[in-house]
Amino acid sequence: MTETQALALFKCLADKSRLQILKSLAKEDMYVERLAERLGLTPPTISFHLKKLSDAGAVRSYKTQYYTMYALEEGVFRTTILDLLRDASDEAELQAQRDDAYRQKVLKTFFEYGKLKAIPTQKKKERIVLEELVKAFEHGRTYTEREVNIILADFNDDFCTLRRDMIGEKLMARDHQTYWRTDDQPQS
């Protein structure tokens, strides 16, 4: 189910009469007049709601003898809210573009000529800066503390804070005096 389909369904479910129609159809398939009798509404009102529910994919209709019967589309209701939240968003590409634009803005603000002007105080911005700094370290290689300090000192004089924060943000790990990127395993 796409986000657009989910929104249409949720809008339909926000009406008490439609919810009562769905509850009745969950018990048995019915035709308009029978639903009208059961719910105390007029047949045109029931038809209006059934059209909305049908457009949202919540009910389906079929012909039997003289009647158009309506049935609950059970498959639609087997999708959980978590399934919807875990699916890729219709706007995922747009969100990724916004994230990248924000990232570039932060990097432009805090870096000048390849040097880190200041360590950001906001955690979100600092994380972006640290993610950029960790790129200076090779995958699959371990470093001594001195080597880490030299690499970080090329970016900013406060290499101790940068080193500590990279460990704190789990971008790097250490074992005694050996450091490595967390996306790598330490070498013996």
Side-chain angles (χ1 to χ4, degrees), residues 5 12 29 32 54 60 85 87 100 112 128 155 170-171:
Q5 292 169 326
C12 275
D29 297 357
V32 172
S54 180
R60 61 182 163 75
L85 296 176
D87 278 350
D100 188 54
E112 189 173 84
I128 291 170
F155 294 101
K170 296 183 178 18
L171 294 170

Side-chain angles (χ1 to χ4, degrees), residues 20-39 46 50 59-64 67-72:
Q20 293 305 315
I21 290 170
L22 291 173
K23 285 182 176 188
S24 294
L25 292 177
K27 293 177 183 166
E28 63 179 306
D29 297 357
M30 292 186 202
Y31 53 94
V32 172
E33 291 77 13
R34 177 71 181 113
L35 280 165
E37 271 176 31
R38 176 175 267 183
L39 301 176
I46 295 292
L50 284 170
V59 298
R60 61 182 163 75
S61 62
Y62 62 93
K63 296 269 188 196
T64 179
Y67 299 103
T68 299
M69 300 293 287
Y70 289 89
L72 188 67

